[in-house]
Amino acid sequence: GFSGAILTKIMCDAMNRDIFNVLFGGLNNAPVVQGQDTGPKEHTETSVPAVAELIANSREVLVVPGYGMAMARAQTAMGELASICRSNKINLKFGVHPVAGRMPGQMNVLLAEAGVPHEWVLEMDEVNPDMENTDVVLVVGANDVVNSAAQELEGCAI
């Protein structure tokens, strides 16, 4: 009913997306913003062994899952990583943005299907106060919810 339309509008506002773009599949695309280039950006490469070492030497790990995790079907691997970390006294938890994925609750459902206990999956507002105590944040397919340009640049394509 109409409550679905209201929820859709609320979610579009939260995602900084135009409702017509969401409903009609890109017919109302905003042009890419040509911002002021502040020069070269710092780029730091890493590797799987380096990330594994970072996680292994951590006490608190936060995973931020997104639609890319769903597309890669990586939720089972992330659940296995969480179990391994927890069994080795590394507190790994998932911090889910309210609009991560294609619909509200998608990340929660995918992680539950992968066997991740509900207690390990938290909302963004629950993990934000503890960020200063987090050793590693692993962003898995969630560029749209962690990139500040999505909120700061009017008409950003993210």
Side-chain angles (χ1 to χ4, degrees), residues 3 5 15 20 22 27 36 75 77 80 90-91 95 105 114 133 136 147:
S3 62
M15 293 185 295
F20 294 106
V22 171
L27 295 177
Q36 299 165 346
Q75 61 269 21
E80 291 171 358
I90 299 169
N91 185 26
N133 300 321
V136 174
N147 190 330

Side-chain angles (χ1 to χ4, degrees), residues 87-141:
S87 67
N88 286 290
K89 299 192 184 335
I90 299 169
N91 185 26
L92 187 145
K93 56 192 170 199
F94 295 86
V96 179
H97 189 280
V99 294
R102 290 290 183 205
M103 65 189 98
Q106 181 182 16
M107 296 301 108
N108 302 64
V109 170
L110 291 175
L111 292 168
E113 288 175 348
V116 175
H118 181 70
E119 303 81 47
W120 298 1
V121 182
L122 306 170
E123 295 296 321
M124 178 184 69
D125 294 339
E126 295 175 289
V127 298
N128 277 346
D130 295 329
M131 287 301 288
E132 64 186 35
N133 300 321
T134 302
D135 301 311
V136 174
V137 176
L138 186 61
V139 179
V140 183

Side-chain angles (χ1 to χ4, degrees), residues 19-85:
I19 191 167
F20 294 106
N21 187 5
V22 171
L23 294 175
F24 301 112
L27 295 177
N28 192 19
N29 282 341
V32 176
V33 173
Q34 299 296 325
Q36 299 165 346
D37 189 3
T38 59
K41 308 292 186 261
E42 184 176 333
H43 172 78
T44 305
E45 290 198 30
T46 190
S47 63
V48 173
V51 173
E53 184 177 346
L54 273 174
I55 293 172
N57 293 326
S58 299
R59 301 183 110 191
E60 295 286 332
V61 176
L62 175 67
V63 175
V64 180
Y67 186 64
M69 181 191 78
M71 292 302 296
R73 297 187 175 115
Q75 61 269 21
T76 302
M78 295 312 303
E80 291 171 358
L81 176 64
S83 294
I84 291 168
C85 286

